[in-house]
Amino acid sequence: MQHCCENKKKGDDSSSSFSLALAGEGERVAIVSCRGCGQLRVRLLSMGIHVDDTIQVIQRRNGGAMLIEKRGSRCALRGGMAHKIKVRRC
């Protein structure tokens, strides 16, 4: 299993990826990669979020902050975090 901040080399679908902050409420997306590490990496790993995981956007706020859900568990992300996570539509 890849960690959230590892960039995918083979099969990277970066041409159709976009920032999680742009995903709409109710939309299901798969995590492709994330920029930056450090605290972001620790935060995502502590929530059990990895590359290739499918998540659903439950609620969005101005600035990109959002509430997401993965397998029945909900987590809040600040806008800066959501902007660094690249996703693709499922």
Side-chain angles (χ1 to χ4, degrees):
M1 182 181 294
Q2 283 189 317
H3 292 293
C4 64
C5 292
E6 292 178 5
N7 289 327
K8 294 179 77 172
K9 301 295 181 200
K10 286 187 175 180
D12 187 2
D13 200 10
S14 58
S15 62
S16 63
S17 67
F18 57 97
S19 171
L20 175 60
L22 300 175
E25 285 187 8
E27 193 167 7
R28 294 187 66 77
V29 294
I31 297 176
V32 174
S33 65
C34 71
R35 291 184 295 122
C37 283
Q39 291 180 357
L40 174 61
R41 179 176 181 239
V42 170
R43 172 83 167 129
L44 293 175
L45 290 174
S46 72
M47 293 186 290
I49 297 175
H50 302 90
V51 169
D52 293 328
D53 284 349
T54 299
I55 59 174
Q56 182 173 11
V57 177
I58 303 300
Q59 188 177 46
R60 290 184 51 184
R61 295 285 184 200
N62 290 339
M66 59 180 47
L67 181 65
I68 62 169
E69 180 178 79
K70 176 187 166 191
R71 293 189 206 142
S73 295
R74 293 183 176 195
C75 303
L77 298 177
R78 295 185 312 260
M81 295 171 72
H83 282 284
K84 293 178 182 178
I85 300 170
K86 296 294 182 189
V87 297
R88 63 176 164 74
R89 288 184 174 85
C90 294

